[in-house]
Amino acid sequence: MQNQYFHGDRKHYPYFEGWYLKHQIEGKTIAFIPAVHGDENGKWSASLQILLNDGANAGSWYLTWPIEECKIEKNRFWVQLGENIFSEKGISVDIENEELSVHGKIAYSGFQTIRGDIMGFFRFLPFMQCRHGIISMYHSLKGNLNINGKNIIFTNGRGYIETDRGQSFPRDYLWTQCGFGNRNSIMVSAADVPILGRSFRGCICAIHYNMRPYRLGTYYGARIPEYEDGRITLKEGRKLLKVTRLDEHPFKLRAPALGSMERMIKESPVCRVRYEFWVGKKKLFDIISGQASFEQVL
């Protein structure tokens, strides 16, 4: 079955669809979030959020475009906002305004995908506010960006790409992602899922470790025995995952609420997080990474 990379061509509003592209090398991180959104009144627009962690240059920015200046392809990952292109081949960025200057290109190679859909059969349920997808758990980078007059070379760095679509982000949720070691990567998300006037907390998780994939999810029978500020534990059969945020350095971001990008949240694009993973009695890894991303709304 061919992957579909854009689902909003015939959607009724309210609706949003966005992509999260993360680039890291030697303590420097920049993430781009292109998106399209239609609010409850049927007004469509396009936006680009940028998260940058690089000393004095660190910050977050929100830029908008008329929907007519946005072009998206359905059967391959390719999004264009004005002169800016985000694709499966890489990115080309040309931004210049009073607050931010970003110019350059980064090429991608060696996509590490996952088998099937990270949402499992939940992607078919009509009451889901938001559907998550993973385009690449890991890929190599080649190129550079000039950011506010400073040239950053991303060659030999690592990248990650995911996507979200629906009407709104969940009321409360946790998300974290981290690449570590040699092509290892982890993504964990848990969220409040409303159904028939009630709700439950569901989870999804993808791990690539030592060339082997692992999956945990509510649709596989995973439970969440621990969930609090900065902490989550997932248990599924013989698999146990513990995630602990050790510090945070949050920046403001906008999130969709009924297609409108007026909701304000915070994300730490780079912070220290501990990930512990067991299969049976064997602890496969216990790592503390200072290059993790973490976002939680309680």
Side-chain angles (χ1 to χ4, degrees):
M1 183 177 68
Q2 185 179 33
N3 287 332
Q4 183 175 334
Y5 291 96
F6 180 55
H7 303 77
D9 51 348
R10 296 184 180 180
K11 290 291 185 181
H12 297 292
Y13 54 85
Y15 182 77
F16 82 92
E17 189 159 353
W19 300 263
Y20 184 97
L21 301 90
K22 181 179 176 183
H23 312 76
Q24 287 189 311
I25 189 168
E26 297 176 353
K28 301 177 178 63
T29 298
I30 189 167
F32 297 93
I33 313 173
V36 292
H37 19 80
D39 64 19
E40 291 181 286
N41 298 316
K43 181 180 179 181
W44 288 84
S45 58
S47 66
L48 175 65
Q49 298 192 76
I50 302 172
L51 275 169
L52 174 63
N53 184 82
D54 179 32
N57 270 337
S60 63
W61 297 266
Y62 179 76
L63 311 173
T64 61
W65 279 263
I67 195 64
E68 294 78 16
E69 294 186 30
C70 176
K71 299 177 182 178
I72 308 174
E73 294 199 13
K74 183 176 180 180
N75 294 320
R76 65 168 180 153
F77 173 51
W78 194 89
V79 181
Q80 181 172 356
L81 292 176
E83 301 299 318
N84 305 283
I85 296 174
F86 307 91
S87 77
E88 58 194 14
K89 300 294 185 182
I91 64 172
S92 176
V93 184
D94 185 13
I95 295 171
E96 188 71 42
N97 59 37
E98 294 180 356
E99 297 182 354
L100 183 66
S101 172
V102 185
H103 303 276
K105 297 180 180 181
I106 300 176
Y108 302 154
S109 63
F111 267 34
Q112 189 182 78
T113 60
I114 67 170
R115 179 177 296 179
D117 193 296
I118 189 65
M119 294 290 292
F121 69 83
F122 273 72
R123 68 188 186 276
F124 299 118
L125 300 181
F127 56 80
M128 296 294 293
Q129 291 178 298
C130 181
R131 292 166 174 81
H132 194 78
I134 294 176
I135 297 176
S136 175
M137 289 287 287
Y138 170 96
H139 48 272
S140 298
L141 309 178
K142 182 179 180 179
N144 64 285
L145 296 177
N146 189 289
I147 305 172
N148 292 335
K150 180 180 179 181
N151 190 55
I152 300 178
I153 299 173
F154 283 92
T155 299
N156 297 323
R158 67 166 74 228
Y160 168 84
I161 305 175
E162 65 178 31
T163 179
D164 288 287
R165 69 184 192 275
Q167 291 190 348
S168 305
F169 268 17
R171 178 184 62 186
D172 68 75
Y173 65 90
L174 178 151
W175 169 88
T176 183
Q177 189 279 328
C178 182
F180 59 98
N182 183 23
R183 298 182 65 87
N184 301 323
S185 183
I186 181 171
M187 188 285 301
V188 184
S189 182
D192 175 79
V193 181
I195 176 174
L196 301 176
R198 305 182 68 180
S199 67
F200 68 93
R201 182 168 286 121
C203 64
I204 51 177
C205 172
I207 300 171
H208 276 207
Y209 181 69
N210 284 350
M211 306 299 293
R212 181 175 177 179
Y214 299 88
R215 294 274 286 276
L216 296 89
T218 300
Y219 48 83
Y220 287 139
R223 299 179 293 106
I224 309 176
E226 181 182 31
Y227 185 88
E228 56 187 75
D229 187 16
R231 295 176 65 89
I232 186 171
T233 298
L234 305 184
K235 179 74 170 68
E236 179 189 300
R238 299 177 67 245
K239 292 176 285 190
L240 176 67
L241 174 70
K242 290 187 176 183
V243 178
T244 307
R245 184 189 64 214
L246 302 178
D247 63 20
E248 57 181 336
H249 308 283
F251 295 107
K252 290 183 179 180
L253 281 179
R254 292 175 182 257
L258 295 177
S260 174
M261 298 295 287
E262 298 302 317
R263 182 182 179 188
M264 300 302 299
I265 60 172
K266 291 183 178 180
E267 177 186 320
S268 292
V270 176
C271 61
R272 293 173 65 246
V273 178
R274 183 180 184 183
Y275 302 93
E276 302 170 83
F277 184 53
W278 293 261
V279 176
K281 295 182 179 180
K282 184 178 181 180
K283 197 171 195 178
L284 292 192
F285 59 80
D286 182 350
I287 64 113
I288 295 176
S289 174
Q291 297 299 303
S293 299
F294 200 100
E295 182 177 313
Q296 187 173 16
V297 176
L298 292 171

